[in-house]
Amino acid sequence: MKIVLLGPPGSGKGTQAKILSEKLGLKHISTGDLLREETKKETPLSKKIKEILDEGKLISDEFVFEILKQNLPSDNYILDGLPRTVSQAKMLDDMVKIDFIFLIDVEDEFIVERIVNRRMCPKCGRIYNLKTNKPKNDTLCDVCSVPLIQRDDDNEEVVRKRLSEYHNQTEPVLDYYSSRLIRIDGEKPIEEVTQQILSKINRL
Ligand code: AP5
Ligand code: MG
C-alpha cells in the first residue's frame, strides 16, 4: 500500500504517519526529516539547505526527488510532505501509483499555536505538544527519556512563511488531485483523525 499525506504545517502529517506506519507496517518517509538529516552533513550544500529550511521556503523539486529516490522502497510506505508543488505531483505520478491521497485539513488559525508548542524526540522522532499531547515526564521523551528539542523553523515568524508557501505552492496540488483527494478533518483529536483515515482504507 502507498499513501500520501498532504496538509499545512502542523496539520498532523508526522503524527499520523508515525501512528499509521506502526499500525499498518508501512515505512514512514518524511521529506522534511530527510532534509533535516542532510543539514547535519556540514558541506556547502547542506548549509544552503539549512538556510532555505530556516526561511520557511521550499527546496527545489529536483533535489527533493534526488533524496526521495534514495529512500523510496518499492511498496508499502507513507509519504509525509511530498508532493508540495504540482510539478512534484506529476513527477510522482510518473514514478508510482499511489493508492490513497489524504489531505489533513486544518484552518490557519490553529497552526501557529500547534507549531510553537511542538517538541520532538531527537532520538526516535516522536512528536509531542506542550498543550495537546504532553510528554508524561516534564520535557523528556516517554520512550527514550532524552530531553525533547524544538525545530529551528518552529517559531511564529517562520511558520507564517511556511503557511504562505503552502497556500501558494501546495494548494494547487489539491486541485491537481481533485477526484483522488480524500479530505480528513484534522481539527479533531489525534485518535479521531487516525480513525477517519483508517475507515477510508477499510482497516478499522
Ligand atoms: P516538514 O518537516 O514536512 O514541515 P511541515 O510541512 O511544515 O509540517 P510539520 O512537520 O511542521 O507539521 P506536521 O503536519 O508534520 O504536524 P505534526 O504531526 O508534527 O518540512 C519542513 C521543510 O522542509 C519545509 O518547510 C520545506 O522547506 C522542506 N520540504 C519538505 N518537504 C519538501 C518538498 N516535498 N519539497 C520542497 N521542500 C520540502 O503536528 C504538529 C503539532 O501539532 C505537534 O505538536 C502535534 O503533537 C500536534 N498535533 C498533531 N495532531 C494534532 C491534533 N489532531 N490535535 C491537536 N494537536 C495535534
Ligand atoms: Mg512533520
Side-chain angles (χ1 to χ4, degrees):
M1 187 189 300
K2 302 180 191 70
I3 295 178
V4 160
L5 295 184
L6 301 170
S11 54
K13 302 181 296 293
T15 300
Q16 295 301 328
K18 191 145 185 79
I19 297 170
L20 294 167
S21 65
E22 283 166 10
K23 274 190 194 294
L24 303 172
L26 306 175
K27 181 175 178 191
H28 173 195
I29 301 171
S30 154
T31 43
D33 287 346
L34 292 173
L35 290 165
R36 280 185 288 280
E37 276 305 307
E38 284 293 314
T39 64
K40 294 178 186 162
K41 291 186 179 163
E42 305 221 340
T43 60
L45 177 62
S46 67
K47 287 202 182 88
K48 183 75 200 147
I49 296 169
K50 171 120 179 70
E51 271 171 35
I52 299 173
L53 293 187
D54 288 352
E55 283 172 19
K57 295 194 179 143
L58 294 188
I59 303 289
S60 75
D61 298 338
E62 292 69 27
F63 187 72
V64 171
F65 266 73
E66 206 179 300
I67 295 190
L68 177 72
K69 282 178 186 162
Q70 290 165 16
N71 288 278
L72 199 68
S74 57
D75 198 1
N76 297 322
Y77 52 81
I78 303 180
L79 280 178
D80 155 8
L82 181 140
R84 282 189 208 231
T85 62
V86 171
S87 69
Q88 287 184 16
K90 288 180 179 165
M91 286 160 88
L92 189 65
D93 267 347
D94 287 343
M95 272 169 61
V96 290
K97 186 187 169 301
I98 301 293
D99 301 296
F100 297 99
I101 301 165
F102 292 105
L103 165 66
I104 307 182
D105 214 358
V106 176
E107 289 297 321
D108 287 9
E109 58 183 292
F110 301 108
I111 298 294
V112 176
E113 172 89 352
R114 277 197 192 184
I115 290 285
V116 296
N117 287 299
R118 171 169 52 193
R119 298 292 182 276
M120 52 192 289
C121 175
K123 204 167 163 197
C124 71
R126 266 191 174 64
I127 300 165
Y128 297 87
N129 190 286
L130 298 182
K131 297 227 164 120
T132 58
N133 185 20
K134 293 183 189 172
K136 292 193 184 90
N137 186 356
D138 194 21
T139 53
L140 300 180
C141 175
D142 293 350
V143 181
C144 311
S145 298
V146 298
L148 301 177
I149 56 162
Q150 192 168 19
R151 266 168 50 178
D152 290 341
D153 60 346
D154 274 358
N155 57 68
E156 182 161 352
E157 192 192 343
V158 178
V159 78
R160 291 202 186 279
K161 289 195 193 137
R162 282 155 58 197
L163 258 178
S164 119
E165 287 284 84
Y166 176 78
H167 291 306
N168 295 331
Q169 309 239 44
T170 310
E171 274 181 353
V173 176
L174 310 182
D175 291 334
Y176 172 82
Y177 281 136
S178 62
S179 60
R180 293 193 272 163
L181 192 71
I182 306 170
R183 279 178 195 267
I184 298 292
D185 180 354
E187 292 172 15
K188 295 276 190 292
I190 291 172
E191 299 72 28
E192 275 186 47
V193 176
T194 309
Q195 295 307 308
Q196 288 180 60
I197 296 174
L198 289 175
S199 76
K200 296 290 181 190
I201 57 180
N202 294 320
R203 295 294 281 273
L204 269 182

